[in-house]
Amino acid sequence: MLIPAFKLEMKNPILPGLAVIGKYDGTSPCLTWVSSTAGRVFIHNPHERDQFSGAELKQLNMNRKITAIATGRINPKSTKDTLLVGAQTTLFAYDHHSNADVFYKDVPDGVNAMKVGTINAYEHPLAIVGGNCSIQGFDHEGNEQFWTVTGDNVACLEFVDVDQDGRMEM
């Protein structure tokens, strides 16, 4: 018989497609999800408790309708994941471990899908954002390093080694 290691009661539901796992301290996985259309992001970290409340759950209020969420190591000099939150026309990067904004960018084509990965023309990881007929890539400082046009709205993004050369393609 299986016995659960821990039990997590979430009073806030997870919106479909808006949940990720990030290692914000570089080692411990944290469940991160969007709970409402009002822009509330919850981060569950069973390895660290809030110094004031003792809670394992932290909440970020974005005050925007969140359309995409991702985590990944976009800073090549860091071992920690960065939380990326996309809204209808903005991209926000947040360092949860340091409780600091990394960058904030206006994305006029919108943020429908998001992924962190490396594109062949650029050696460092980028925050790849798919929007209305375009795909953009931002580095760890929020500078646009990649842009291309697509034939339609981008609904999802993924990196796969299609040609089995050891490099991931988008």
Side-chain angles (χ1 to χ4, degrees):
M1 176 162 74
L2 297 175
I3 300 171
F6 69 92
K7 184 177 178 182
L8 173 63
E9 288 188 31
M10 296 181 292
K11 296 179 172 113
N12 301 294
I14 297 174
L15 294 181
L18 295 175
V20 293
I21 294 177
K23 294 182 179 180
Y24 304 117
D25 63 357
T27 56
S28 306
C30 301
L31 175 62
T32 306
W33 73 93
V34 177
S35 176
S36 72
T37 56
R40 292 190 327 194
V41 177
F42 290 91
I43 301 172
H44 176 257
N45 185 353
H47 312 284
E48 178 182 304
R49 294 189 180 272
D50 184 68
Q51 64 182 0
F52 301 110
S53 67
E56 297 176 349
L57 192 64
K58 293 183 181 178
Q59 177 181 336
L60 302 172
N61 286 318
M62 304 307 287
N63 296 324
R64 299 178 187 278
K65 182 179 184 221
I66 297 171
T67 55
I69 190 169
T71 63
R73 293 183 181 134
I74 61 172
N75 186 343
K77 296 177 184 172
S78 177
T79 60
K80 299 182 279 187
D81 285 352
T82 299
L83 174 62
L84 300 160
V85 179
Q88 291 172 325
T89 58
T90 58
L91 171 62
F92 176 70
Y94 177 72
D95 182 342
H96 169 67
H97 188 69
S98 301
N99 192 25
D101 298 348
V102 177
F103 66 82
Y104 176 88
K105 292 297 283 188
D106 286 323
V107 185
D109 291 336
V111 181
N112 300 337
M114 201 166 16
K115 200 75 171 174
V116 173
T118 303
I119 295 178
N120 289 341
Y122 193 73
E123 64 184 75
H124 299 296
L126 298 174
I128 306 297
V129 175
N132 299 324
C133 301
S134 72
I135 298 174
Q136 295 173 276
F138 299 95
D139 66 12
H140 68 281
E141 295 175 336
N143 300 315
E144 185 179 293
Q145 298 293 333
F146 177 79
W147 179 84
T148 190
V149 174
T150 62
D152 203 350
N153 291 343
V154 179
C156 67
L157 293 166
E158 190 58 62
F159 288 92
V160 178
D161 185 8
V162 177
D163 55 6
Q164 298 179 350
D165 65 351
R167 294 189 61 116
M168 303 297 269
E169 290 85 25
M170 180 173 44

